[in-house]
Amino acid sequence: MAFNLKDHFARFKKMYIVFSLIMLIGLVTGMLTAFKYTGEITVQHLNDNVLVGFLEKKVGAFSLLFKRIFAFCILFFIIIAINFKKFTCFLNFFLILYESYLLGLNCAIFIMLFNISGIINVFIVYLPCHLISLIALMGLCTIFCSSCFSLCRYRESIFSQFFWQQNGRSIITFLLIAIFAFLLEMLLLPSFCSAFFIVK
């Protein structure tokens, strides 16, 4: 049976509410932190090396996609590691907080760097794409975290065959959602950069 996103979100509604609140705190904190950059702001202030490389024309569109996917794969393995034992599951919330903090920080700096052009890019390309990938990250955290607690009752782990049989489709679905977000960024970002940005 195909994985049903609607049923998944309904089943873990409380966890997603908590994750959403943490994400909101991270976004706001990141934006407020950006105000510490006074004086002349440069692209180097962005905490996104892949984006910096792209804006400086050191990274092409396809490289942008593959680097995004590679970075997300690292996050995926981090999620596996922190959900191996119950006493480290709380780190899922810090992971979402940190990633949303960086997103808020980069969005604010982007706007401060490019003004109106930055606002257009942030709200049409950068923020939507990375919010989608952040939701995918939340989904993976939810699956692994909730499964960790339920599997412990049966003395199983997230490396068991039972876990992957039960959650394989859902994990693949969220990975594909993240890849879709990065593919969308790869397609949209070059057009908006060439239209609006001149990076010195």
Side-chain angles (χ1 to χ4, degrees):
M1 186 178 293
F3 173 63
N4 191 314
L5 275 174
K6 185 178 178 180
D7 290 344
H8 170 81
F9 288 128
R11 181 183 175 190
F12 297 105
K13 181 171 65 176
K14 291 181 180 179
M15 188 170 286
Y16 277 103
I17 290 173
V18 174
F19 274 134
S20 297
L21 290 173
I22 290 173
M23 181 185 70
L24 184 60
I25 292 170
L27 285 170
V28 172
T29 305
M31 290 177 180
L32 292 175
T33 303
F35 290 121
K36 76 177 184 179
Y37 293 108
T38 56
E40 186 176 353
I41 301 172
T42 67
V43 173
Q44 297 300 325
H45 285 97
L46 287 166
N47 286 270
D48 187 339
N49 293 329
V50 179
L51 182 62
V52 170
F54 181 80
L55 292 174
E56 293 181 340
K57 298 184 179 180
K58 296 177 181 178
V59 174
F62 283 104
S63 295
L64 174 75
L65 174 63
F66 290 121
K67 285 177 182 291
R68 290 290 195 217
I69 293 174
F70 178 74
F72 196 85
C73 286
I74 292 175
L75 291 174
F76 177 63
F77 287 115
I78 290 173
I79 291 171
I80 293 175
I82 64 180
N83 289 288
F84 182 60
K85 295 292 183 181
K86 288 193 296 184
F87 60 83
T88 56
C89 283
F90 72 94
L91 293 174
N92 288 284
F93 300 103
F94 285 98
L95 180 63
I96 297 299
L97 180 65
Y98 179 70
E99 290 299 314
S100 57
Y101 168 82
L102 289 181
L103 178 57
L105 182 68
N106 288 327
C107 286
I109 294 176
F110 221 113
I111 292 170
M112 293 166 70
L113 273 172
F114 300 106
N115 301 315
I116 299 299
S117 299
I119 293 172
I120 293 171
N121 188 281
V122 162
F123 286 100
I124 295 180
V125 183
Y126 192 76
L127 183 60
C129 291
H130 286 269
L131 278 179
I132 293 172
S133 67
L134 197 55
I135 290 170
L137 196 67
M138 286 184 194
L140 292 171
C141 287
T142 299
I143 292 166
F144 280 91
C145 184
S146 60
S147 297
C148 179
F149 283 90
S150 60
L151 289 170
C152 284
R153 300 173 189 171
Y154 306 101
R155 296 183 179 179
E156 296 281 357
S157 73
I158 58 174
F159 295 109
S160 66
Q161 185 178 358
F162 174 76
F163 169 78
W164 292 98
Q165 286 176 342
Q166 294 293 315
N167 300 286
R169 289 189 183 92
S170 57
I171 291 169
I172 291 172
T173 299
F174 282 115
L175 289 174
L176 289 175
I177 289 173
I179 292 172
F180 167 76
F182 301 138
L183 182 62
L184 196 62
E185 183 187 29
M186 181 200 76
L187 294 172
L188 294 177
L189 194 59
S191 299
F192 278 85
C193 282
S194 61
F196 296 110
F197 299 147
I198 300 176
V199 181
K200 298 179 180 179

